[in-house]
Amino acid sequence: MALESKAEGNVVSRLAQTVRLPKMAKVKQLLDHSHIPVEDIPFQVHEELERSGMGERIGPGKTVAITCGSRGVANIAAITKGIVDFVKEHGGEPFVFPAMGSHGGATAEGQKQILTGYGVTEEFLGCPVKATMEVDQIGATEEGMPVFMDQYAHQADAVILCGRVKAHTAFRGPYESGILKMAVIGMGKQHGAETIHRDGFYELGKMLPVIGKVVLENSNVIGALALVENAFDQTCRMEAMTAEKIFDREPKILEYAKERMGRIYFDSLDVLVVDRIGKDISGDGMDPNITGRFAVPYIEGDKKVQHIAVLDLTEDTHGNCNGLGLADVTTRRLVDKIDVDCTFPNVVTSTVLCTPKIPLFTQTDKACIQIALRTCNYIDRENPRIVRIKDTMNLEEIYISEAVLEEAGQNPFIEILEEAKDWEFNEEGNLW
């Protein structure tokens, strides 16, 4: 996506050059590393599914549909294969299907391509991967809202839900991102997701259990495997449960997940520099629970950041720039990578139209950061408070400006690794 900007290289760059950037120090945030070793994942999947009693609900020859989402879940290929192998062990005939609402450009091919990118292939799994955007209506809420389900999954004898439980980026409730959302929106595909999102996210926290009840009462879901990740994108907990236990267990798992998520230990910043954003990092490109910048007006973060500068997109986001609209300044490099066909279907479905908006952009990383700082109001310009992170999923080692060093030194969860030094830009004015 190329945009013309003949004057920017001269005018904006000149404006940026007047800004002196403070020295930055590398620090380590002491976050909980405990997790399940990767080599133990298949065993843990088997043990959890066996413990739950789900195997008793898989009969010989029964077809079993297994969900797989689009959120870049850690170890998703190994976890999905573990479920496949468990189903086979109990005589079932498994297949995997994309359960990701409107992601992947809202096409079956696009959704299957996302799974392939995660290593979730027929060759690796040893079972079919069935992708379709066709759905069946399986019921309706008391208010008359139709509820939909992936056609392949609906035709199967049984369904096992698998999803990561975590704080959502646009609503609050006892059920946020997780099993019920996978059942309601993931399995609902584009048609179901659009129906549920038509009135925005405000009521979604209340609606998820209402619609989820319809799904579980009118479908063949036999159970679920809930996943939790720590601040380092590592699987730290798995819990399997039969269908009737989902409503009771998921809120408790969500509480645990919120305790384990990453954070930035500084609540008031002038500028937050984010090296990269992407759908593989967060549904909003950069997690608002980390940045404090939410796309919806009815959630206010406790972190106050005046300006956010975003420098690039991840490779795995495939040009999806959802979340860029939450930034204040970005780079031409990022803008040129945007794929609107990949981005817009998901945005339209969500009804939150601000998330893909393109902010002011500059030719270089340096100018981007300088403009973000120059345009801050009511700050100590000689001692600006700046934090730089790789992305909202990598928060252990970050950079902080000299003005934040004293506060960092008093925090028992922060270790100063290096003394403050100048930014290391290359000849083109970029950080890499």
Side-chain angles (χ1 to χ4, degrees), residues 143-262:
E143 291 75 23
M145 177 184 288
V147 179
F148 300 94
M149 183 176 180
D150 178 286
Q151 198 169 79
Y152 284 133
H154 187 222
Q155 293 170 354
D157 295 315
V159 175
I160 296 177
L161 303 169
C162 178
R164 177 178 58 196
V165 177
K166 66 188 292 288
H168 198 271
T169 60
F171 68 89
R172 291 289 177 262
Y175 309 92
E176 296 182 22
S177 284
I179 299 303
L180 278 192
K181 185 169 178 285
M182 174 67 78
V184 169
I185 296 177
M187 286 206 304
K189 311 307 287 255
Q190 163 71 18
H191 199 48
E194 189 170 45
T195 301
I196 294 161
H197 284 306
R198 66 187 177 190
D199 293 321
F201 285 96
Y202 184 69
E203 294 289 329
L204 196 50
K206 298 178 182 177
M207 290 304 297
L208 266 186
V210 173
I211 304 169
K213 185 171 184 291
V214 176
V215 173
L216 296 181
E217 289 180 349
N218 294 275
S219 74
N220 40 16
V221 173
I222 62 171
L225 180 65
L227 312 172
V228 178
E229 294 174 9
N230 62 17
F232 303 95
D233 190 28
Q234 297 168 310
T235 308
C236 63
R237 179 174 176 178
M238 292 189 286
E239 182 173 333
M241 66 207 81
T242 49
E244 62 272 15
K245 295 181 180 179
I246 292 174
F247 277 94
D248 177 61
R249 290 302 308 157
E250 185 169 350
K252 297 178 176 63
I253 298 171
L254 177 60
E255 290 178 8
Y256 176 82
K258 288 182 176 181
E259 293 173 358
R260 296 300 304 275
M261 69 186 298

Side-chain angles (χ1 to χ4, degrees), residues 212-423:
K213 185 171 184 291
V214 176
V215 173
L216 296 181
E217 289 180 349
N218 294 275
S219 74
N220 40 16
V221 173
I222 62 171
L225 180 65
L227 312 172
V228 178
E229 294 174 9
N230 62 17
F232 303 95
D233 190 28
Q234 297 168 310
T235 308
C236 63
R237 179 174 176 178
M238 292 189 286
E239 182 173 333
M241 66 207 81
T242 49
E244 62 272 15
K245 295 181 180 179
I246 292 174
F247 277 94
D248 177 61
R249 290 302 308 157
E250 185 169 350
K252 297 178 176 63
I253 298 171
L254 177 60
E255 290 178 8
Y256 176 82
K258 288 182 176 181
E259 293 173 358
R260 296 300 304 275
M261 69 186 298
R263 65 198 65 199
I264 298 173
Y265 285 112
F266 307 99
D267 294 330
S268 178
L269 300 174
D270 301 325
V271 175
L272 173 64
V273 179
V274 183
D275 286 356
R276 59 182 194 168
I277 65 171
K279 291 292 284 188
D280 53 315
I281 301 295
S282 169
D284 280 13
M286 50 182 172
D287 191 339
N289 297 293
I290 303 297
T291 66
R293 182 77 62 84
F294 289 84
V296 291
Y298 40 83
I299 299 182
E300 291 188 6
D302 55 6
K303 189 178 301 299
K304 304 303 179 184
V305 179
Q306 190 166 158
H307 284 161
I308 298 178
V310 170
L311 306 182
D312 207 349
L313 293 178
T314 66
E315 183 177 345
D316 288 341
T317 200
H318 304 294
N320 190 323
C321 71
N322 204 357
L324 180 59
L326 302 180
D328 300 289
V329 195
T330 190
T331 65
R332 170 178 282 278
R333 178 180 65 247
L334 183 154
V335 171
D336 287 343
K337 292 180 180 180
I338 294 173
D339 182 340
V340 296
D341 290 333
C342 183
T343 305
F344 288 174
N346 185 217
V347 173
V348 172
T349 300
S350 74
T351 75
V352 184
L353 298 183
C354 68
T355 57
K357 289 184 177 180
I358 299 174
L360 183 154
F361 60 90
T362 65
Q363 296 286 359
T364 68
D365 295 344
K366 184 176 183 179
C368 180
I369 300 164
Q370 288 173 313
I371 291 297
L373 181 56
R374 177 191 170 110
T375 51
C376 284
N377 302 130
Y378 301 105
I379 67 170
D380 182 347
R381 299 193 178 278
E382 295 301 315
N383 299 286
R385 294 172 59 85
I386 301 177
V387 166
R388 176 192 170 199
I389 63 174
K390 181 178 182 181
D391 54 55
T392 55
M393 199 180 283
N394 290 276
L395 298 167
E396 183 172 40
E397 290 188 0
I398 65 175
Y399 291 87
I400 64 174
S401 62
E402 290 177 294
V404 192
L405 270 174
E406 182 178 352
E407 181 180 339
Q410 296 173 354
N411 191 323
F413 296 102
I414 296 177
E415 187 179 302
I416 299 173
L417 300 179
E418 298 176 356
E419 64 180 17
K421 59 181 68 173
D422 291 329
W423 296 72

Side-chain angles (χ1 to χ4, degrees), residues 71 79 120 188 283 384:
R71 295 299 193 187
I79 290 169
V120 181

Side-chain angles (χ1 to χ4, degrees), residues 8 54 67-68 83 120 125 136 246 291 314 425:
E8 186 276 324
M54 217 179 303
T67 68
C68 191
I83 302 173
V120 181
L125 298 172
D136 293 333
I246 292 174
T291 66
T314 66
F425 298 105

